[in-house]
Amino acid sequence: MILLQISSAQGPDECMLAVNKALERLIQEAEELSVRANILEEERGLRSGTLRSVLVAIHGKNEQQLFECWNGTIKWICESPWRKGAGRKNWFIGVRQFEPMPEMKESEIRFETLKASGPGGQHVNKTESAVRAVHIASGISIKVQSERSQHANRRLAHMLLGHRLQQHQNMHQAQIKAERRIFHHQIERGNAVRTFIGMKFIPQN
């Protein structure tokens, strides 16, 4: 499993729109490669259809191939849908692998199984595949239900809880997401690994 973060960096609304479009394209390419792509966390922009940042888990036989296609700076060439006539048409976003914190010992965590919620009909409501991981000492918890199997959700919950605990220890709650945005200032403009064109987000190459 590889965790990917797609970020608009400090870019304007157009970059946040590019994040959403990149996410859709990533999911499409994942399906073509028989790789599962699950959205774990997302931070929405102020405008409808925009995302400041999104965290995606990709896993499958070809996950490394997919990762290598996206890792780095992404360039989007398109006229702004909100600033007609503006000269700027090049927008940049960043994609990188999100490195989770080292996993904690099983003895430090209490796992609870529960029924998944949300869309999915009767299968979701009747299957106790969701997992809540609770750090015993601090009481910090995280619920994961993105995977179909309880075992996979347990593994992912363990991983994400370690990161959540580290964040809690290092900074105030209001600054939690800032740690994952460190690379916002490191996006290389003009050295894109991929380029997409137009509102349909068509690959240039």
Side-chain angles (χ1 to χ4, degrees), residues 65-95:
Q65 178 183 343
L66 180 64
F67 165 69
E68 291 174 357
C69 288
W70 285 91
N71 185 36
T73 298
I74 304 298
K75 180 180 180 180
W76 181 37
I77 303 174
C78 186
E79 182 178 342
S80 170
W82 302 297
R83 291 182 276 187
K84 300 295 183 181
R88 181 177 175 183
K89 293 184 179 180
N90 295 335
W91 315 99
F92 296 89
I93 62 175
V95 181

PDB file of all heavy atoms in Angstrom, residues 65-95:
ATOM      1  N   GLN A  65       3.858   1.222 -10.167  1.00  0.00           N
ATOM      2  CA  GLN A  65       3.805   1.807 -11.514  1.00  0.00           C
ATOM      3  C   GLN A  65       2.946   3.062 -11.524  1.00  0.00           C
ATOM      4  O   GLN A  65       3.318   4.083 -12.110  1.00  0.00           O
ATOM      5  CB  GLN A  65       3.249   0.781 -12.505  1.00  0.00           C
ATOM      6  CG  GLN A  65       3.116   1.315 -13.931  1.00  0.00           C
ATOM      7  CD  GLN A  65       2.486   0.297 -14.872  1.00  0.00           C
ATOM      8  OE1 GLN A  65       2.433  -0.901 -14.571  1.00  0.00           O
ATOM      9  NE2 GLN A  65       2.017   0.747 -16.012  1.00  0.00           N
ATOM     10  N   LEU A  66       1.804   2.992 -10.853  1.00  0.00           N
ATOM     11  CA  LEU A  66       0.916   4.147 -10.781  1.00  0.00           C
ATOM     12  C   LEU A  66       1.584   5.275 -10.007  1.00  0.00           C
ATOM     13  O   LEU A  66       1.531   6.443 -10.427  1.00  0.00           O
ATOM     14  CB  LEU A  66      -0.399   3.743 -10.115  1.00  0.00           C
ATOM     15  CG  LEU A  66      -1.453   4.850  -9.972  1.00  0.00           C
ATOM     16  CD1 LEU A  66      -1.912   5.326 -11.340  1.00  0.00           C
ATOM     17  CD2 LEU A  66      -2.644   4.355  -9.151  1.00  0.00           C
ATOM     18  N   PHE A  67       2.207   4.940  -8.892  1.00  0.00           N
ATOM     19  CA  PHE A  67       2.878   5.948  -8.066  1.00  0.00           C
ATOM     20  C   PHE A  67       3.943   6.694  -8.857  1.00  0.00           C
ATOM     21  O   PHE A  67       4.037   7.926  -8.802  1.00  0.00           O
ATOM     22  CB  PHE A  67       3.501   5.276  -6.845  1.00  0.00           C
ATOM     23  CG  PHE A  67       4.508   6.119  -6.124  1.00  0.00           C
ATOM     24  CD1 PHE A  67       4.127   7.255  -5.428  1.00  0.00           C
ATOM     25  CD2 PHE A  67       5.857   5.786  -6.149  1.00  0.00           C
ATOM     26  CE1 PHE A  67       5.067   8.043  -4.774  1.00  0.00           C
ATOM     27  CE2 PHE A  67       6.799   6.568  -5.494  1.00  0.00           C
ATOM     28  CZ  PHE A  67       6.396   7.698  -4.804  1.00  0.00           C
ATOM     29  N   GLU A  68       4.753   5.972  -9.619  1.00  0.00           N
ATOM     30  CA  GLU A  68       5.839   6.594 -10.364  1.00  0.00           C
ATOM     31  C   GLU A  68       5.331   7.536 -11.454  1.00  0.00           C
ATOM     32  O   GLU A  68       6.044   8.464 -11.860  1.00  0.00           O
ATOM     33  CB  GLU A  68       6.738   5.513 -10.964  1.00  0.00           C
ATOM     34  CG  GLU A  68       7.536   4.743  -9.907  1.00  0.00           C
ATOM     35  CD  GLU A  68       8.314   3.579 -10.478  1.00  0.00           C
ATOM     36  OE1 GLU A  68       8.194   3.324 -11.701  1.00  0.00           O
ATOM     37  OE2 GLU A  68       9.043   2.917  -9.714  1.00  0.00           O
ATOM     38  N   CYS A  69       4.111   7.309 -11.920  1.00  0.00           N
ATOM     39  CA  CYS A  69       3.526   8.182 -12.940  1.00  0.00           C
ATOM     40  C   CYS A  69       3.082   9.529 -12.362  1.00  0.00           C
ATOM     41  O   CYS A  69       2.923  10.500 -13.100  1.00  0.00           O
ATOM     42  CB  CYS A  69       2.315   7.513 -13.588  1.00  0.00           C
ATOM     43  SG  CYS A  69       2.713   6.148 -14.683  1.00  0.00           S
ATOM     44  N   TRP A  70       2.876   9.577 -11.059  1.00  0.00           N
ATOM     45  CA  TRP A  70       2.296  10.767 -10.437  1.00  0.00           C
ATOM     46  C   TRP A  70       3.231  11.492  -9.480  1.00  0.00           C
ATOM     47  O   TRP A  70       2.992  12.667  -9.160  1.00  0.00           O
ATOM     48  CB  TRP A  70       1.023  10.383  -9.689  1.00  0.00           C
ATOM     49  CG  TRP A  70      -0.124  10.115 -10.595  1.00  0.00           C
ATOM     50  CD1 TRP A  70      -0.493   8.918 -11.151  1.00  0.00           C
ATOM     51  CD2 TRP A  70      -1.055  11.087 -11.092  1.00  0.00           C
ATOM     52  NE1 TRP A  70      -1.592   9.081 -11.961  1.00  0.00           N
ATOM     53  CE2 TRP A  70      -1.966  10.404 -11.940  1.00  0.00           C
ATOM     54  CE3 TRP A  70      -1.217  12.452 -10.910  1.00  0.00           C
ATOM     55  CZ2 TRP A  70      -3.018  11.048 -12.589  1.00  0.00           C
ATOM     56  CZ3 TRP A  70      -2.262  13.106 -11.551  1.00  0.00           C
ATOM     57  CH2 TRP A  70      -3.156  12.398 -12.385  1.00  0.00           C
ATOM     58  N   ASN A  71       4.268  10.864  -9.010  1.00  0.00           N
ATOM     59  CA  ASN A  71       5.093  11.447  -7.964  1.00  0.00           C
ATOM     60  C   ASN A  71       5.868  12.664  -8.463  1.00  0.00           C
ATOM     61  O   ASN A  71       6.732  12.555  -9.326  1.00  0.00           O
ATOM     62  CB  ASN A  71       6.083  10.388  -7.447  1.00  0.00           C
ATOM     63  CG  ASN A  71       6.888  10.888  -6.264  1.00  0.00           C
ATOM     64  OD1 ASN A  71       6.383  11.621  -5.416  1.00  0.00           O
ATOM     65  ND2 ASN A  71       8.151  10.501  -6.206  1.00  0.00           N
ATOM     66  N   GLY A  72       5.565  13.835  -7.932  1.00  0.00           N
ATOM     67  CA  GLY A  72       6.263  15.054  -8.325  1.00  0.00           C
ATOM     68  C   GLY A  72       5.299  16.199  -8.592  1.00  0.00           C
ATOM     69  O   GLY A  72       4.195  16.251  -8.059  1.00  0.00           O
ATOM     70  N   THR A  73       5.731  17.124  -9.428  1.00  0.00           N
ATOM     71  CA  THR A  73       4.922  18.294  -9.775  1.00  0.00           C
ATOM     72  C   THR A  73       4.040  17.993 -10.989  1.00  0.00           C
ATOM     73  O   THR A  73       4.504  17.419 -11.969  1.00  0.00           O
ATOM     74  CB  THR A  73       5.822  19.503 -10.092  1.00  0.00           C
ATOM     75  OG1 THR A  73       6.582  19.831  -8.933  1.00  0.00           O
ATOM     76  CG2 THR A  73       4.994  20.715 -10.498  1.00  0.00           C
ATOM     77  N   ILE A  74       2.786  18.395 -10.902  1.00  0.00           N
ATOM     78  CA  ILE A  74       1.828  18.223 -12.003  1.00  0.00           C
ATOM     79  C   ILE A  74       1.467  19.602 -12.555  1.00  0.00           C
ATOM     80  O   ILE A  74       1.137  20.520 -11.791  1.00  0.00           O
ATOM     81  CB  ILE A  74       0.538  17.520 -11.510  1.00  0.00           C
ATOM     82  CG1 ILE A  74       0.874  16.173 -10.855  1.00  0.00           C
ATOM     83  CG2 ILE A  74      -0.444  17.348 -12.674  1.00  0.00           C
ATOM     84  CD1 ILE A  74       1.525  15.170 -11.755  1.00  0.00           C
ATOM     85  N   LYS A  75       1.551  19.748 -13.870  1.00  0.00           N
ATOM     86  CA  LYS A  75       1.234  21.020 -14.529  1.00  0.00           C
ATOM     87  C   LYS A  75      -0.103  20.902 -15.266  1.00  0.00           C
ATOM     88  O   LYS A  75      -0.349  19.925 -15.965  1.00  0.00           O
ATOM     89  CB  LYS A  75       2.345  21.377 -15.525  1.00  0.00           C
ATOM     90  CG  LYS A  75       2.127  22.676 -16.282  1.00  0.00           C
ATOM     91  CD  LYS A  75       3.287  22.932 -17.242  1.00  0.00           C
ATOM     92  CE  LYS A  75       3.113  24.211 -18.031  1.00  0.00           C
ATOM     93  NZ  LYS A  75       4.251  24.436 -18.964  1.00  0.00           N
ATOM     94  N   TRP A  76      -0.935  21.905 -15.083  1.00  0.00           N
ATOM     95  CA  TRP A  76      -2.231  21.944 -15.762  1.00  0.00           C
ATOM     96  C   TRP A  76      -2.294  23.211 -16.605  1.00  0.00           C
ATOM     97  O   TRP A  76      -2.168  24.319 -16.070  1.00  0.00           O
ATOM     98  CB  TRP A  76      -3.367  21.920 -14.747  1.00  0.00           C
ATOM     99  CG  TRP A  76      -4.756  21.941 -15.349  1.00  0.00           C
ATOM    100  CD1 TRP A  76      -5.166  21.322 -16.491  1.00  0.00           C
ATOM    101  CD2 TRP A  76      -5.908  22.603 -14.833  1.00  0.00           C
ATOM    102  NE1 TRP A  76      -6.501  21.543 -16.734  1.00  0.00           N
ATOM    103  CE2 TRP A  76      -6.991  22.335 -15.712  1.00  0.00           C
ATOM    104  CE3 TRP A  76      -6.139  23.379 -13.705  1.00  0.00           C
ATOM    105  CZ2 TRP A  76      -8.271  22.831 -15.500  1.00  0.00           C
ATOM    106  CZ3 TRP A  76      -7.418  23.882 -13.488  1.00  0.00           C
ATOM    107  CH2 TRP A  76      -8.473  23.603 -14.381  1.00  0.00           C
ATOM    108  N   ILE A  77      -2.479  23.053 -17.908  1.00  0.00           N
ATOM    109  CA  ILE A  77      -2.585  24.191 -18.825  1.00  0.00           C
ATOM    110  C   ILE A  77      -4.056  24.408 -19.152  1.00  0.00           C
ATOM    111  O   ILE A  77      -4.679  23.586 -19.844  1.00  0.00           O
ATOM    112  CB  ILE A  77      -1.784  23.942 -20.113  1.00  0.00           C
ATOM    113  CG1 ILE A  77      -0.319  23.643 -19.784  1.00  0.00           C
ATOM    114  CG2 ILE A  77      -1.884  25.156 -21.037  1.00  0.00           C
ATOM    115  CD1 ILE A  77       0.502  23.248 -20.994  1.00  0.00           C
ATOM    116  N   CYS A  78      -4.613  25.492 -18.650  1.00  0.00           N
ATOM    117  CA  CYS A  78      -6.037  25.756 -18.875  1.00  0.00           C
ATOM    118  C   CYS A  78      -6.358  27.196 -18.503  1.00  0.00           C
ATOM    119  O   CYS A  78      -5.810  27.741 -17.540  1.00  0.00           O
ATOM    120  CB  CYS A  78      -6.888  24.809 -18.023  1.00  0.00           C
ATOM    121  SG  CYS A  78      -8.656  24.909 -18.345  1.00  0.00           S
ATOM    122  N   GLU A  79      -7.257  27.801 -19.261  1.00  0.00           N
ATOM    123  CA  GLU A  79      -7.729  29.143 -18.915  1.00  0.00           C
ATOM    124  C   GLU A  79      -8.579  29.061 -17.656  1.00  0.00           C
ATOM    125  O   GLU A  79      -9.357  28.131 -17.468  1.00  0.00           O
ATOM    126  CB  GLU A  79      -8.555  29.719 -20.068  1.00  0.00           C
ATOM    127  CG  GLU A  79      -9.050  31.137 -19.814  1.00  0.00           C
ATOM    128  CD  GLU A  79      -9.820  31.705 -20.992  1.00  0.00           C
ATOM    129  OE1 GLU A  79      -9.682  31.154 -22.110  1.00  0.00           O
ATOM    130  OE2 GLU A  79     -10.566  32.684 -20.790  1.00  0.00           O
ATOM    131  N   SER A  80      -8.424  30.020 -16.789  1.00  0.00           N
ATOM    132  CA  SER A  80      -9.177  30.032 -15.539  1.00  0.00           C
ATOM    133  C   SER A  80     -10.682  30.119 -15.807  1.00  0.00           C
ATOM    134  O   SER A  80     -11.130  30.948 -16.603  1.00  0.00           O
ATOM    135  CB  SER A  80      -8.761  31.219 -14.674  1.00  0.00           C
ATOM    136  OG  SER A  80      -9.638  31.354 -13.569  1.00  0.00           O
ATOM    137  N   PRO A  81     -11.485  29.272 -15.153  1.00  0.00           N
ATOM    138  CA  PRO A  81     -12.934  29.362 -15.328  1.00  0.00           C
ATOM    139  C   PRO A  81     -13.539  30.538 -14.576  1.00  0.00           C
ATOM    140  O   PRO A  81     -14.714  30.866 -14.768  1.00  0.00           O
ATOM    141  CB  PRO A  81     -13.425  28.030 -14.739  1.00  0.00           C
ATOM    142  CG  PRO A  81     -12.403  27.669 -13.722  1.00  0.00           C
ATOM    143  CD  PRO A  81     -11.093  28.152 -14.285  1.00  0.00           C
ATOM    144  N   TRP A  82     -12.741  31.188 -13.742  1.00  0.00           N
ATOM    145  CA  TRP A  82     -13.255  32.286 -12.919  1.00  0.00           C
ATOM    146  C   TRP A  82     -12.671  33.647 -13.283  1.00  0.00           C
ATOM    147  O   TRP A  82     -13.236  34.679 -12.961  1.00  0.00           O
ATOM    148  CB  TRP A  82     -12.967  32.000 -11.439  1.00  0.00           C
ATOM    149  CG  TRP A  82     -13.566  30.707 -10.994  1.00  0.00           C
ATOM    150  CD1 TRP A  82     -14.898  30.388 -10.966  1.00  0.00           C
ATOM    151  CD2 TRP A  82     -12.874  29.539 -10.547  1.00  0.00           C
ATOM    152  NE1 TRP A  82     -15.081  29.097 -10.523  1.00  0.00           N
ATOM    153  CE2 TRP A  82     -13.863  28.552 -10.246  1.00  0.00           C
ATOM    154  CE3 TRP A  82     -11.537  29.226 -10.344  1.00  0.00           C
ATOM    155  CZ2 TRP A  82     -13.526  27.288  -9.782  1.00  0.00           C
ATOM    156  CZ3 TRP A  82     -11.201  27.970  -9.878  1.00  0.00           C
ATOM    157  CH2 TRP A  82     -12.192  27.012  -9.606  1.00  0.00           C
ATOM    158  N   ARG A  83     -11.517  33.653 -13.944  1.00  0.00           N
ATOM    159  CA  ARG A  83     -10.885  34.920 -14.307  1.00  0.00           C
ATOM    160  C   ARG A  83     -10.718  34.983 -15.824  1.00  0.00           C
ATOM    161  O   ARG A  83      -9.635  34.758 -16.357  1.00  0.00           O
ATOM    162  CB  ARG A  83      -9.538  35.055 -13.602  1.00  0.00           C
ATOM    163  CG  ARG A  83      -9.659  35.241 -12.106  1.00  0.00           C
ATOM    164  CD  ARG A  83      -8.302  35.411 -11.456  1.00  0.00           C
ATOM    165  NE  ARG A  83      -7.658  34.132 -11.184  1.00  0.00           N
ATOM    166  CZ  ARG A  83      -6.529  34.009 -10.491  1.00  0.00           C
ATOM    167  NH1 ARG A  83      -5.924  35.086 -10.046  1.00  0.00           N
ATOM    168  NH2 ARG A  83      -6.007  32.820 -10.263  1.00  0.00           N
ATOM    169  N   LYS A  84     -11.812  35.230 -16.488  1.00  0.00           N
ATOM    170  CA  LYS A  84     -11.806  35.263 -17.943  1.00  0.00           C
ATOM    171  C   LYS A  84     -10.890  36.375 -18.461  1.00  0.00           C
ATOM    172  O   LYS A  84     -10.897  37.491 -17.968  1.00  0.00           O
ATOM    173  CB  LYS A  84     -13.228  35.481 -18.483  1.00  0.00           C
ATOM    174  CG  LYS A  84     -14.215  34.395 -18.082  1.00  0.00           C
ATOM    175  CD  LYS A  84     -13.832  33.048 -18.694  1.00  0.00           C
ATOM    176  CE  LYS A  84     -14.870  31.975 -18.358  1.00  0.00           C
ATOM    177  NZ  LYS A  84     -14.511  30.663 -18.914  1.00  0.00           N
ATOM    178  N   GLY A  85     -10.101  36.007 -19.451  1.00  0.00           N
ATOM    179  CA  GLY A  85      -9.218  36.990 -20.063  1.00  0.00           C
ATOM    180  C   GLY A  85      -7.900  37.172 -19.350  1.00  0.00           C
ATOM    181  O   GLY A  85      -7.042  37.934 -19.805  1.00  0.00           O
ATOM    182  N   ALA A  86      -7.731  36.478 -18.229  1.00  0.00           N
ATOM    183  CA  ALA A  86      -6.462  36.587 -17.508  1.00  0.00           C
ATOM    184  C   ALA A  86      -5.353  35.922 -18.305  1.00  0.00           C
ATOM    185  O   ALA A  86      -5.574  34.940 -19.011  1.00  0.00           O
ATOM    186  CB  ALA A  86      -6.589  35.938 -16.133  1.00  0.00           C
ATOM    187  N   GLY A  87      -4.162  36.448 -18.194  1.00  0.00           N
ATOM    188  CA  GLY A  87      -3.056  35.936 -18.987  1.00  0.00           C
ATOM    189  C   GLY A  87      -2.546  34.577 -18.529  1.00  0.00           C
ATOM    190  O   GLY A  87      -2.057  33.794 -19.335  1.00  0.00           O
ATOM    191  N   ARG A  88      -2.675  34.283 -17.248  1.00  0.00           N
ATOM    192  CA  ARG A  88      -2.092  33.045 -16.720  1.00  0.00           C
ATOM    193  C   ARG A  88      -2.914  31.821 -17.111  1.00  0.00           C
ATOM    194  O   ARG A  88      -4.132  31.792 -16.941  1.00  0.00           O
ATOM    195  CB  ARG A  88      -1.987  33.124 -15.197  1.00  0.00           C
ATOM    196  CG  ARG A  88      -1.364  31.878 -14.579  1.00  0.00           C
ATOM    197  CD  ARG A  88      -1.200  32.010 -13.076  1.00  0.00           C
ATOM    198  NE  ARG A  88      -0.709  30.771 -12.495  1.00  0.00           N
ATOM    199  CZ  ARG A  88      -0.520  30.585 -11.190  1.00  0.00           C
ATOM    200  NH1 ARG A  88      -0.772  31.560 -10.343  1.00  0.00           N
ATOM    201  NH2 ARG A  88      -0.071  29.423 -10.738  1.00  0.00           N
ATOM    202  N   LYS A  89      -2.230  30.794 -17.620  1.00  0.00           N
ATOM    203  CA  LYS A  89      -2.893  29.547 -17.994  1.00  0.00           C
ATOM    204  C   LYS A  89      -2.179  28.315 -17.431  1.00  0.00           C
ATOM    205  O   LYS A  89      -2.644  27.196 -17.645  1.00  0.00           O
ATOM    206  CB  LYS A  89      -2.981  29.430 -19.523  1.00  0.00           C
ATOM    207  CG  LYS A  89      -3.892  30.460 -20.170  1.00  0.00           C
ATOM    208  CD  LYS A  89      -4.009  30.223 -21.670  1.00  0.00           C
ATOM    209  CE  LYS A  89      -4.939  31.239 -22.306  1.00  0.00           C
ATOM    210  NZ  LYS A  89      -5.069  31.014 -23.775  1.00  0.00           N
ATOM    211  N   ASN A  90      -1.081  28.503 -16.757  1.00  0.00           N
ATOM    212  CA  ASN A  90      -0.324  27.389 -16.202  1.00  0.00           C
ATOM    213  C   ASN A  90      -0.520  27.311 -14.692  1.00  0.00           C
ATOM    214  O   ASN A  90      -0.259  28.281 -13.979  1.00  0.00           O
ATOM    215  CB  ASN A  90       1.174  27.546 -16.513  1.00  0.00           C
ATOM    216  CG  ASN A  90       1.455  27.463 -18.000  1.00  0.00           C
ATOM    217  OD1 ASN A  90       0.707  26.863 -18.758  1.00  0.00           O
ATOM    218  ND2 ASN A  90       2.543  28.078 -18.425  1.00  0.00           N
ATOM    219  N   TRP A  91      -0.965  26.133 -14.216  1.00  0.00           N
ATOM    220  CA  TRP A  91      -1.226  25.931 -12.793  1.00  0.00           C
ATOM    221  C   TRP A  91      -0.463  24.691 -12.332  1.00  0.00           C
ATOM    222  O   TRP A  91      -0.379  23.706 -13.056  1.00  0.00           O
ATOM    223  CB  TRP A  91      -2.729  25.766 -12.553  1.00  0.00           C
ATOM    224  CG  TRP A  91      -3.555  26.766 -13.292  1.00  0.00           C
ATOM    225  CD1 TRP A  91      -4.207  26.581 -14.478  1.00  0.00           C
ATOM    226  CD2 TRP A  91      -3.775  28.132 -12.936  1.00  0.00           C
ATOM    227  NE1 TRP A  91      -4.828  27.743 -14.878  1.00  0.00           N
ATOM    228  CE2 TRP A  91      -4.576  28.716 -13.948  1.00  0.00           C
ATOM    229  CE3 TRP A  91      -3.368  28.924 -11.859  1.00  0.00           C
ATOM    230  CZ2 TRP A  91      -4.996  30.042 -13.909  1.00  0.00           C
ATOM    231  CZ3 TRP A  91      -3.782  30.257 -11.815  1.00  0.00           C
ATOM    232  CH2 TRP A  91      -4.580  30.799 -12.830  1.00  0.00           C
ATOM    233  N   PHE A  92       0.084  24.740 -11.139  1.00  0.00           N
ATOM    234  CA  PHE A  92       0.921  23.653 -10.646  1.00  0.00           C
ATOM    235  C   PHE A  92       0.407  23.111  -9.312  1.00  0.00           C
ATOM    236  O   PHE A  92       0.006  23.880  -8.434  1.00  0.00           O
ATOM    237  CB  PHE A  92       2.369  24.131 -10.462  1.00  0.00           C
ATOM    238  CG  PHE A  92       3.033  24.542 -11.744  1.00  0.00           C
ATOM    239  CD1 PHE A  92       2.932  25.846 -12.195  1.00  0.00           C
ATOM    240  CD2 PHE A  92       3.746  23.626 -12.502  1.00  0.00           C
ATOM    241  CE1 PHE A  92       3.537  26.239 -13.381  1.00  0.00           C
ATOM    242  CE2 PHE A  92       4.362  24.005 -13.691  1.00  0.00           C
ATOM    243  CZ  PHE A  92       4.255  25.307 -14.129  1.00  0.00           C
ATOM    244  N   ILE A  93       0.431  21.784  -9.188  1.00  0.00           N
ATOM    245  CA  ILE A  93       0.084  21.126  -7.934  1.00  0.00           C
ATOM    246  C   ILE A  93       1.169  20.091  -7.629  1.00  0.00           C
ATOM    247  O   ILE A  93       1.992  19.781  -8.491  1.00  0.00           O
ATOM    248  CB  ILE A  93      -1.307  20.450  -7.984  1.00  0.00           C
ATOM    249  CG1 ILE A  93      -1.328  19.355  -9.056  1.00  0.00           C
ATOM    250  CG2 ILE A  93      -2.399  21.486  -8.232  1.00  0.00           C
ATOM    251  CD1 ILE A  93      -2.617  18.559  -9.078  1.00  0.00           C
ATOM    252  N   GLY A  94       1.174  19.563  -6.414  1.00  0.00           N
ATOM    253  CA  GLY A  94       2.201  18.605  -6.036  1.00  0.00           C
ATOM    254  C   GLY A  94       1.615  17.271  -5.611  1.00  0.00           C
ATOM    255  O   GLY A  94       0.546  17.211  -5.003  1.00  0.00           O
ATOM    256  N   VAL A  95       2.313  16.206  -5.935  1.00  0.00           N
ATOM    257  CA  VAL A  95       1.946  14.855  -5.505  1.00  0.00           C
ATOM    258  C   VAL A  95       3.188  14.227  -4.877  1.00  0.00           C
ATOM    259  O   VAL A  95       4.269  14.271  -5.461  1.00  0.00           O
ATOM    260  CB  VAL A  95       1.471  13.984  -6.686  1.00  0.00           C
ATOM    261  CG1 VAL A  95       1.083  12.589  -6.190  1.00  0.00           C
ATOM    262  CG2 VAL A  95       0.293  14.640  -7.393  1.00  0.00           C
TER     263      VAL A  95
END
